[in-house]
Amino acid sequence: MPRIAVFNQKGGVGKTTTALNMAAAMARAGETPLAIDLDPQAHLSMVSGVSEGSAESSIYAFYRDARPLADLVKPSQHGWSLIPAHLELSKVDTQYGKGPNILNRLKIGLVKENLNGVRPVVVDCCPMLGVLSLSAIFAADKVLVPVSADYLAVKGALQVEKTLNALTPVLKRRIERRYVVTRFDSRRRMSWDIYESFRERFGADLCETRIAESVSLAEAPFSGKDVFTHAPGSRGAQDYQALYDELKASGFLQ
C-alpha cells in the first residue's frame, strides 16, 4: 500500500485539510489508513480528536526514545488511525542533525513494523524543509502537493518542484508527485490563470480536480471533523471525493 507525504514548504495552502480529507476518503473506501502527524503544530492530531498532552505518547517519542511506531498508534473517531504530533517535535532539527540515520528512521520504522503492509499511510508534513519533512519524503512512495490559487503559492510550488528534483540523485529515483490546486475560486480569472500556468509547468503531475474555496472545508476542523462527516453533501466533500477518485484511477494510490 502507498505511503503518501502531503507536503508544501509554504503554509496556508490546505496541507492539513488535504491530509485529513484524503485519510477520510480512504476510510470511506474501507482502506483503514494510518495518518502520521509530523507537524509540531499538531493540527491534524487535534482535528482527529487524538491530540496528546504528553510528548511520550507522540511521534516525538519515536525519534527521542526509539519507541516502536505501533506503540504510538491511536484510533480516531472517524475510521482511521493516527500517530499524533507534539510541540516537542520542533526540537528534532536541532537535536539530531540531518544525517542519513535520522532521515531514514521513519521509513525503516514503517517497513520494519510492516505498518502499511495492508493499509495506506498519509503523512502530514510541517510547512518547512527540515528533518521532519525530509523524513516524510524519504519514507514516502508518493508526494501530494496542495497549492492554493494565489500568486505566492505559484512561487512556492516551483520551489517544491526544485526540492523534489534535487532529491532524485539522493534517493536514486524520481519522486512521484501530484500537485492539487486548492482554494480555487472559479469566479476569479486569476484562479484559472494560475491553474493553466500549473498545467503548462507540471503537465500530467497536475491533478485535474480542483479544490474550491468552501465554507464547509473551513468549518469542518472547527467542529473536529473531516468534511465528509461535517457536511457530506457539500462542495468540499464532493471535491475531495473527486480527488481521491482521480488519484485512485490514475494509479497514484496503488
Side-chain angles (χ1 to χ4, degrees):
M1 298 296 283
R3 297 188 295 268
I4 300 169
V6 183
F7 171 67
N8 195 319
Q9 293 165 242
K10 183 181 183 302
V13 297
K15 179 182 56 61
T16 298
T17 298
T18 296
L20 169 70
N21 291 304
M22 285 302 297
M26 292 173 178
R28 281 163 51 86
E31 297 181 13
T32 62
L34 171 64
I36 301 176
D37 192 350
L38 273 187
D39 188 341
Q41 298 177 92
H43 289 166
L44 181 61
S45 303
M46 289 184 282
V47 175
S48 300
V50 291
S51 182
E52 286 296 326
S54 168
E56 287 71 23
S57 298
S58 75
I59 188 69
Y60 180 62
F62 169 72
Y63 288 98
R64 188 188 66 183
D65 306 322
R67 284 194 65 185
L69 290 169
D71 290 354
L72 304 171
V73 176
K74 305 291 191 301
S76 81
Q77 57 186 337
H78 304 304
W80 67 84
S81 300
L82 182 134
I83 300 178
H86 191 276
L87 186 60
E88 291 290 296
L89 268 176
S90 58
K91 298 179 179 179
V92 168
D93 276 64
T94 56
Q95 288 178 329
Y96 302 107
K98 293 185 179 180
N101 289 338
I102 190 67
L103 294 180
N104 284 302
R105 186 177 296 184
L106 181 60
K107 179 180 181 179
I108 291 170
L110 288 169
V111 172
K112 182 178 179 180
E113 299 183 46
N114 196 30
L115 283 183
N116 78 305
V118 295
R119 60 181 174 181
V121 173
V122 178
V123 184
D124 186 22
C125 301
C126 59
M128 61 180 294
L129 188 64
V131 168
L132 295 173
S133 291
L134 287 171
S135 293
I137 294 170
F138 275 48
D141 303 308
K142 322 282 178 70
V143 175
L144 182 59
V145 185
V147 187
S148 59
D150 63 75
Y151 174 73
L152 292 179
V154 173
K155 297 295 185 182
L158 295 176
Q159 184 59 48
V160 169
E161 180 77 356
K162 182 178 179 181
T163 296
L164 295 179
N165 288 338
L167 291 173
T168 297
V170 178
L171 298 173
K172 296 180 173 58
R173 60 182 173 89
R174 183 184 186 272
I175 302 168
E176 189 173 355
R177 80 280 316 244
R178 291 292 187 277
Y179 293 85
V180 56
V181 176
T182 62
R183 304 182 66 179
F184 185 85
D185 187 343
S186 61
R187 300 166 300 179
R188 299 169 60 198
R189 175 62 183 270
M190 185 179 71
S191 291
W192 289 105
D193 289 344
I194 288 172
Y195 181 77
E196 290 303 322
S197 70
F198 282 147
R199 187 195 296 276
E200 292 177 9
R201 178 64 180 82
F202 300 126
D205 289 338
L206 177 67
C207 294
E208 291 289 336
T209 302
R210 299 172 291 271
I211 308 300
E213 191 81 75
S214 169
V215 173
S216 61
L217 290 175
E219 290 177 343
F222 182 76
S223 303
K225 300 176 181 178
D226 60 81
V227 72
F228 300 104
T229 304
H230 174 69
S234 67
R235 175 64 184 273
Q238 294 171 11
D239 285 350
Y240 272 106
Q241 185 62 53
L243 177 62
Y244 171 82
D245 292 342
E246 177 184 346
L247 294 176
K248 192 74 172 179
S250 71
F252 187 78
L253 298 182
Q254 301 302 322

